[in-house]
Amino acid sequence: MGRSEAAARPEAAVSDAGPAAGLYLPSPATIQEVRLETGAADVRTFKVTLDGQEIGKDFIYRPGQCAMVSVFGVGEVMLSLSSSPTWTTHLEFSVKNAGKVTSTMHGLAPGARLGVRGPLGNWFPYESLQGKDLLFVGGGIGLAPLRSLINYVIDNRDRYGKVEIIYGARSPQDLCFKSEIFETWPKAPDTEVFVTVDRGDADWKGKEGFVPAYLEELAPSPVGKVAVICGPPIMIKFVLQGLEKLGYSDEQVITTLEMRMKCGVGKCGRCNIGHKYVCVDGPVFNLAQLRALKGEFV
Amino acid sequence: MAEKLVTSEGLFTMVEKLLGRAQVTAPREENGIAVFGPVNSAGQVELDGPLPVIPEKSVVFPQSETLLRMDLGGEVPKVEAVEPEGEQVILGVRPCGLQAFARLDRVFLEGAFVDPQYRRRRDHTLIIALTCPTVKRSCFCRAFGYGPSDGSGADLQLTRLPGGSFHLETLTERGGEFVAEMEKEGIAGLTDAGAEAGSAARAEKARVERLAERSAAAVSTEGVVEGLDGMYDDPYWAQLAERCISCGICTYLCPTCHCFDICEKARGPEAERYRCWDTCLFSNYTLMAGGANPRPTVRERLRNRLYHKLNFFNHRYGEFLCVGCGRCVEHCPTNIDIRKVMAKAAARSRAQGVSVNG
Amino acid sequence: MSEAIKTAAPVEGEPMPAELKTAEIPTRRGPAPGDPEFLGALRDCCRSLLAEGHVQRIIAYRETPDSLRPEVAFFASPEETGDLVWDLFCNTNICKYLLDYRTFEGRIGVVVKGCDARGVVQLINDMQIPRDKVEIIGICCPGQIDPAKVESAAGEAWVSRVVAGPDSVEIVTEEGTEMRVPLESVLTDRCLSCRKPNPPVADVVFGEDQKGRISDEVFEQIAELERMSSAERDAFWNRHFERCIRCFACRNVCPACSCTKCVFDQQEPDWLAGERNQANQHFFQITRAVHVSGRCTGCEECDRVCPVGIPLRLMNKKLWKDVKDLFDSPLPGTKLGVRSPLVMWDPKDADSFE
Ligand code: SF4
Ligand code: SF4
Ligand code: SF4
Ligand code: SF4
Ligand code: SF4
Ligand code: FES
């Protein structure tokens, strides 16, 4: 009576290495290295190890998953893991300086202590993507979660088809992961990287223009392919339109979402899009799933 | 299960005894307003008043509570999870409060992530329910398939009898243990309920059920979920939002709203992480660090609340997140009435012809 | 304009500054609430204001099936005004909705009681909305009824409707039973001590000036608080502040709270932390009270909406009393063009500037 016929149980996608006993108690972690990503210094990548835990053994995660990172005494913030699970020496978080916790993080040096709660949320369907061609479309810091999957694919190169990466940022200064986009990835077999900036500078010899326009120009065929996208809402909006024009179906488009998060475990309520919680049911959704939800996602 | 009869003096003594060994929360009057709050003498307990404004949830989900305690003085931060302590008793929970606990259980205890704070408090709380002595016009429990005498979910249930005594039913083992303990202590005025008290209690329950019957005629859940399925972009939400002042009343008074914020406080090397109530009606709730807000206006926020109560929760858990207590109906400063939203949705579903009978 | 609205004498009350005087004397007066012609005349008035393009929106009340709880409604066309209502249950102070119209192109009509009208004037004085953008349709208010008091008077029975007389009200239940209770027993607390039920500024006025009710209860309570030792006072307020759930309804309805970003909403730094401890509860309450002092119009809407019965009126009225004693200023919202003594300075101020 008046009840939905939909699942009567939460469909939480929970990793087998979810947080243990203390649901809100982070595991101790240490910063090993801090790398400046952008000229404007608003994005830094933190190489982090977990004290007394082995990555890949005690902390198992999949590309696209997130973790709650604590700066003790300041707060906690949900960050996507920008490292690939194939790297077992450390985790990486690429962090934009945007609030109290992240700005404090930006002031931390190697040796500083953090807390990590995770991995949280679902992941890119890296298993069902095997054998397919992949198109990655990223904007700005939105490349961080994609990077996890890109490196995973490159480390398992024979299991995946052709890889195309379209990446853009406001200026050459704002491009993240420069050594990867200009060196490592283009050298990987059957991998192409297309970089554009909104506005170039004196030294910029590459492409100028917005990501959605570049996508239209390159017009990658949808046949046998899945597009994985992440970036600022405005970019997503136009990229989605572009992909639709190119003939990508909603099932062929995967994105990862950002919402304000606090608990990370489906309790505090705030990250819902319709009846789904981005922290436990997401952050990865395909477009068909998103369209079926009531909510404000782009 | 066992049925007892307890005089109001006997109940008074029981509460006094309880005060020594547990934190007791009960309906209390403050400046003319009934609230659920901690009591420190049996005389503060007010069982005949109206449904308390501050809901029962605060005993298992307090307005703020510490999650972690940190010592940041040393080279390595010392961080420990804080476990709630002690035993609690909540007295005078109405059937809607019991239903609300069941909803909160699903959120906090179901699935892979069990909330340790809630689990500890829930396990250490004895629930003594009360058959509603009165039914307000704003009450619409019957729409959700239960009524003002339904004690399911409680350990014990009190029913006020016309003479002033209480009929006390034990509903769980824990409730039975409690009564046995009280009997051992020799509470004057606590006796086995005879047939007379039993039938008086049944008559009283039937009386309040009849009172609640009136609301059943006015509010129904039929077609609500289905109607809302097709109403997300309806201009109706903007119309409602026009007069909503985006305050925290409807959600903070709601016995099932469970949203919280997690904050940090640090003084010198000592720091604490705590959570406190939050609501989807506040603009900060979804405000992101960069300044973007996916729910920028009252329209999106009010709609989220109403959908969560009447649609989203159903799609996730298969039941409503509203239990019909009527608090939001009665206390909304601008008379936004969830029952009208239900009626609107039901009408929409009838118009769509998707309503399934029965 | 309706026939029922006749030219009449200006509303009595505090004298107005000369430069505003002529503009602010209402020239039209309609029948009083209680007069059988009242509602028709009020609807006519609103309808023609919309029809003739004097206003593009009217903020008033609409009938609902629950006659004790009419809704605030926003009328955009003359056709919609058929279910516009004004009765003794129009408790909600609508002045604050004007802030939603800061960028609205057009004029807004507001149907206001004495206390609401002061809020409108205060918003004008605080430069939140220009005077000429607002058409003030004032009602000399006989006092409003608290639905909760009516319901508790009716006990178990459901109230169907209430017929108000000058001194008593008749409560008719769904079962058809009738009972009569004194008007004072069901009036809202604020109305029981309302000294200014007439709109101080209006373009149209309905009804003749009301005397108001001169209960000194609030000031007696304040005097009592003043006599307490500070420890006793602390205990008194602690007991109340402890209950505050921080719903911010008091702030959201307050005509003196017009900041675009309230200090309590700021996140970095979060001046008001979420933790419900004594320090934070006090900080919130005292900051709110002090920030509105000198601009609080005494409408007591905060007190009305507070779901947990915190006697906010006591704090507000105490501060108002002090401001009045120190600066001899008129009650906020009773005069156009007056700024709060606390938001300006004067060489004659009691405190020195050194
Ligand atoms: S939504 Fe309103 S009526 Fe429903 S449970 Fe919450 S407060 Fe009670
Ligand atoms: S209605 Fe809003 S505040 Fe209440 S539980 Fe749902 S999201 Fe949270
Ligand atoms: S109580 Fe009423 S005004 Fe306040 S947020 Fe809820 S619906 Fe809006
Ligand atoms: S406070 Fe005065 S003006 Fe306001 S509703 Fe009461 S009597 Fe009317
Ligand atoms: S209305 Fe009452 S409970 Fe709400 S914030 Fe104000 S004082 Fe606190
Ligand atoms: S972050 Fe708390 S529910 Fe998702």
Side-chain angles (χ1 to χ4, degrees):
Chain A
M1 215 194 55
R3 290 191 172 179
S4 99
E5 284 150 39
R9 290 277 174 266
E11 311 135 67
V14 177
S15 88
D16 39 15
L23 189 59
Y24 301 109
L25 184 67
S27 309
T30 308
I31 299 179
Q32 299 302 340
E33 195 186 310
V34 183
R35 210 166 50 232
L36 202 63
E37 291 292 350
T38 57
D42 69 340
V43 178
R44 282 179 157 87
T45 292
F46 295 82
K47 264 180 131 169
V48 172
T49 51
L50 299 175
D51 307 357
Q53 283 193 58
E54 257 181 71
I55 290 151
K57 216 161 127 220
D58 309 308
F59 185 97
I60 302 168
Y61 70 105
R62 279 114 174 169
Q65 280 198 292
C66 301
M68 276 284 182
V69 176
S70 283
V71 179
F72 294 116
V74 182
E76 211 178 18
V77 65
M78 183 73 105
L79 297 171
S80 58
L81 283 144
S82 67
S83 48
S84 161
T86 46
W87 311 346
T88 51
T89 50
H90 64 275
L91 306 173
E92 285 191 11
F93 297 100
S94 302
V95 186
K96 194 177 169 87
N97 181 348
K100 197 166 61 180
V101 180
T102 51
S103 71
T104 315
M105 261 184 102
H106 272 235
L108 295 179
R113 309 294 177 148
L114 297 174
V116 172
R117 204 150 62 80
L120 298 167
N122 70 354
W123 49 83
F124 292 117
Y126 65 99
E127 281 158 326
S128 63
L129 290 179
Q130 289 188 14
K132 295 210 168 77
D133 290 348
L134 298 172
L135 167 68
F136 292 93
V137 186
I141 180 72
L143 189 58
L146 304 186
R147 174 180 181 247
S148 176
L149 180 59
I150 294 171
N151 284 320
Y152 181 88
V153 168
I154 287 175
D155 290 343
N156 293 282
R157 197 63 202 88
D158 51 336
R159 293 200 223 149
Y160 295 88
K162 182 171 182 243
V163 170
E164 290 158 287
I165 301 163
I166 306 177
Y167 177 53
R170 259 176 317 182
S171 72
Q173 299 277 309
D174 291 305
L175 293 167
C176 296
F177 314 116
K178 289 189 189 69
S179 72
E180 282 159 300
I181 57 175
F182 293 123
E183 287 160 40
T184 329
W185 297 345
K187 281 193 208 127
D190 206 11
T191 304
E192 277 184 287
V193 184
F194 306 93
V195 180
T196 178
V197 296
D198 297 355
R199 225 169 306 102
D201 57 21
D203 300 329
W204 181 252
K205 300 199 176 62
K207 180 88 183 161
E208 277 192 32
F210 297 129
V211 168
Y214 202 12
L215 171 74
E216 205 165 328
E217 186 187 320
L218 294 164
S221 149
V223 179
K225 196 173 291 170
V226 169
V228 188
I229 66 179
C230 185
I234 184 81
M235 182 207 94
I236 300 258
K237 191 175 156 193
F238 290 108
V239 166
L240 290 181
Q241 287 174 9
L243 290 172
E244 201 180 335
K245 248 188 265 166
L246 292 171
Y248 286 75
S249 73
D250 288 352
E251 284 76 16
Q252 277 175 291
V253 180
I254 295 171
T255 185
T256 170
L257 299 179
E258 229 192 308
M259 281 291 265
R260 183 184 170 104
M261 298 200 200
K262 285 290 180 174
C263 71
V265 289
K267 314 285 180 212
C268 80
R270 80 198 54 241
C271 69
N272 76 301
I273 293 181
H275 68 286
K276 299 279 185 191
Y277 287 121
V278 174
C279 65
V280 289
D281 305 321
V284 176
F285 294 94
N286 72 33
L287 197 52
Q289 293 167 325
L290 280 181
R291 290 211 206 275
L293 292 177
K294 296 177 178 61
E296 302 81 12
F297 68 93
V298 273
Chain B
M1 286 260 163
E3 292 183 35
K4 300 281 164 188
L5 183 69
V6 60
T7 59
S8 45
E9 294 74 28
L11 186 62
F12 190 94
T13 322
M14 276 163 69
V15 175
E16 288 290 330
K17 290 240 185 274
L18 276 174
L19 284 170
R21 52 192 89 155
Q23 165 78 256
V24 180
T25 297
R28 215 176 56 180
E29 205 207 271
E30 288 283 351
N31 203 25
I33 306 274
V35 296
F36 268 109
V39 292
N40 41 41
S41 82
Q44 285 175 298
V45 178
E46 190 31 272
L47 289 178
D48 296 324
L51 176 70
V53 174
I54 295 187
E56 296 85 349
K57 69 180 174 189
S58 50
V59 297
V60 281
F61 175 50
Q63 280 200 42
S64 62
E65 70 180 316
T66 310
L67 299 175
L68 305 178
R69 203 163 287 133
M70 304 170 238
D71 175 358
L72 309 176
E75 199 193 317
V76 181
K78 286 197 203 74
V79 184
E80 53 169 31
V82 175
E83 205 184 89
E85 286 170 4
E87 299 296 315
Q88 300 190 104
V89 176
I90 178 159
L91 174 65
V93 179
R94 305 292 189 92
C96 50
L98 299 171
Q99 295 285 325
F101 283 146
R103 302 300 193 285
L104 293 176
D105 287 353
R106 301 204 66 180
V107 172
F108 285 112
L109 304 178
E110 208 168 81
F113 300 117
V114 172
D115 189 280
Q117 253 65 17
Y118 183 90
R119 175 84 271 171
R120 173 65 176 69
R121 288 184 202 276
R122 190 73 168 88
D123 289 346
H124 292 262
T125 305
L126 179 81
I127 300 177
I128 308 178
L130 174 72
T131 301
C132 296
T134 54
V135 176
K136 283 192 170 191
R137 189 172 199 165
S138 48
C139 297
F140 56 113
C141 41
R142 288 301 284 270
F144 296 97
Y146 70 99
S149 69
D150 188 344
S152 21
D155 295 306
L156 296 143
Q157 183 177 5
L158 289 164
T159 304
R160 178 75 116 179
L161 301 179
S165 296
F166 290 91
H167 178 258
L168 176 66
E169 266 166 284
T170 58
L171 301 170
T172 62
E173 212 169 291
R174 180 152 55 166
E177 281 162 22
F178 167 78
V179 171
E181 208 181 304
M182 288 292 141
E183 280 177 325
K184 223 166 64 210
E185 307 227 353
I187 304 275
L190 175 65
T191 52
D192 285 341
E196 205 182 313
S199 65
R202 279 189 295 280
E204 171 62 8
K205 288 180 179 176
R207 183 187 73 86
V208 296
E209 288 295 339
R210 271 196 309 279
L211 289 176
E213 201 52 56
R214 293 180 293 184
S215 72
V219 198
S220 154
T221 52
E222 176 91 45
V224 170
V225 176
E226 296 79 359
L228 287 173
D229 279 340
M231 275 177 73
Y232 199 68
D233 295 312
D234 201 277
Y236 178 60
W237 308 113
Q239 281 161 24
L240 267 189
E242 219 176 356
R243 71 175 197 274
C244 168
I245 60 167
S246 210
C247 66
I249 292 183
C250 54
T251 45
Y252 284 172
L253 299 188
C254 179
T256 67
C257 275
H258 56 79
C259 286
F260 59 86
D261 194 3
I262 298 181
C263 315
E264 204 102 333
K265 100 177 160 185
R267 190 173 295 140
E270 280 166 32
E272 248 179 55
R273 186 168 293 166
Y274 62 92
R275 68 169 162 209
C276 54
W277 289 1
D278 199 355
T279 156
C280 63
L281 263 312
F282 289 169
S283 60
N284 282 345
Y285 180 83
T286 47
L287 182 71
M288 299 207 272
N293 194 340
R295 296 186 206 132
T297 74
V298 185
R299 171 181 163 270
E300 294 85 40
R301 303 202 283 270
L302 181 62
R303 178 175 64 182
N304 184 72
R305 168 194 162 227
L306 294 164
Y307 266 84
H308 194 201
K309 296 283 143 189
L310 304 173
N311 178 285
F312 293 163
F313 197 79
N314 302 66
H315 285 305
R316 202 175 175 83
Y317 293 103
E319 56 188 339
F320 286 95
L321 189 59
C322 172
V323 295
C325 76
R327 286 182 177 91
C328 60
V329 173
E330 198 178 340
H331 296 284
C332 171
T334 71
N335 300 341
I336 287 173
D337 187 336
I338 193 166
R339 297 170 304 180
K340 288 190 196 162
V341 178
M342 291 169 72
K344 180 101 183 169
R348 176 63 54 96
S349 113
R350 278 193 302 276
Q352 289 165 343
V354 296
S355 172
V356 269
N357 275 336
Chain C
M1 202 59 40
S2 151
E3 280 303 300
I5 300 172
K6 303 174 207 83
T7 306
V11 174
E12 273 189 51
E14 315 256 344
M16 288 168 200
E19 70 276 16
L20 290 163
K21 212 164 184 168
T22 37
E24 294 315 322
I25 295 170
T27 52
R28 291 158 285 149
R29 202 174 267 265
D35 184 319
E37 286 185 32
F38 162 73
L39 192 55
L42 177 65
R43 285 181 182 159
D44 282 348
C45 167
C46 293
R47 189 178 303 128
S48 48
L49 282 168
L50 283 164
E52 289 162 22
H54 293 301
V55 301
Q56 282 63 44
R57 195 71 96 248
I58 284 185
I59 312 177
Y61 308 85
R62 180 184 299 152
E63 276 174 338
T64 70
D66 180 356
S67 62
L68 270 45
R69 293 178 177 84
E71 296 171 356
V72 172
F74 305 83
F75 300 90
S77 73
E79 298 74 45
E80 292 168 8
T81 56
D83 57 359
L84 184 148
V85 77
W86 198 94
D87 57 24
L88 301 193
F89 292 97
C90 294
N91 279 300
T92 312
N93 183 345
I94 57 171
C95 70
K96 195 69 183 284
Y97 293 109
L98 281 173
L99 294 189
D100 297 339
Y101 289 84
R102 277 193 266 226
T103 56
F104 180 73
E105 289 183 15
R107 297 183 72 242
I108 309 107
V110 283
V111 175
V112 287
K113 313 179 278 289
C115 50
D116 310 340
R118 291 199 298 280
V120 174
V121 172
Q122 190 55 37
L123 291 172
I124 294 169
N125 286 348
D126 282 341
M127 292 182 282
Q128 295 300 319
I129 193 124
R131 170 67 183 100
D132 57 15
K133 219 173 139 169
V134 191
E135 180 85 3
I136 304 176
I137 305 152
I139 295 178
C140 296
C141 176
Q144 295 283 309
I145 297 175
D146 184 340
K149 290 187 185 175
V150 170
E151 276 162 354
S152 84
E156 213 100 270
W158 280 9
V159 178
S160 148
R161 68 203 153 85
V162 174
V163 190
D167 308 307
S168 64
V169 296
E170 191 178 34
I171 302 172
V172 184
T173 67
E174 297 275 334
E175 289 80 16
T177 55
E178 288 166 17
M179 69 174 96
R180 193 166 274 284
V181 298
L183 179 62
E184 308 250 310
S185 72
V186 291
L187 282 181
T188 67
D189 292 342
R190 62 172 162 191
C191 301
L192 286 171
S193 61
C194 172
R195 290 154 196 258
K196 295 190 185 296
N198 307 311
V201 174
D203 300 297
V204 191
V205 173
F206 286 82
E208 300 304 321
D209 283 6
Q210 294 277 345
K211 282 202 307 292
R213 289 174 180 79
I214 324 282
S215 147
D216 280 322
E217 205 198 320
V218 180
F219 288 101
E220 278 159 19
Q221 283 172 355
I222 289 171
E224 202 178 302
L225 279 172
E226 286 168 340
R227 281 192 298 274
M228 285 180 182
S229 71
S230 71
E232 286 169 332
R233 222 174 10 248
D234 207 42
F236 173 89
W237 285 117
N238 264 339
R239 235 193 61 227
H240 287 301
F241 292 171
E242 214 180 61
R243 277 199 316 281
C244 170
I245 55 170
R246 299 240 208 109
C247 66
F248 297 125
C250 51
R251 171 198 66 185
N252 293 9
V253 297
C254 176
C257 291
S258 45
C259 300
T260 37
K261 182 86 182 176
C262 173
V263 64
F264 305 130
D265 286 342
Q266 234 164 68
Q267 298 203 293
E268 288 178 20
D270 52 343
W271 300 108
L272 176 62
E275 194 185 12
R276 269 58 162 188
N277 59 24
Q278 205 186 77
N280 288 344
Q281 299 296 77
H282 277 244
F283 169 74
F284 165 58
Q285 292 288 349
I286 293 168
T287 307
R288 189 204 62 82
V290 171
H291 197 200
V292 302
S293 65
R295 293 179 304 117
C296 161
T297 66
C299 72
E300 298 185 19
E301 182 74 348
C302 52
D303 203 281
R304 180 186 78 86
V305 301
C306 177
V308 296
I310 296 174
L312 298 168
R313 64 206 311 239
L314 288 183
M315 242 185 317
N316 297 335
K317 287 253 146 75
K318 156 71 180 153
L319 288 169
W320 157 238
K321 183 174 158 271
D322 292 351
V323 170
K324 194 174 97 154
D325 292 349
L326 281 170
F327 303 98
D328 189 29
S329 54
L331 179 64
T334 52
K335 273 191 199 176
L336 277 174
V338 175
R339 309 226 59 201
S340 159
L342 299 186
V343 299
M344 49 180 238
W345 65 274
D346 191 291
K348 298 198 292 288
D349 278 347
D351 274 346
S352 75
F353 285 89
E354 275 127 60

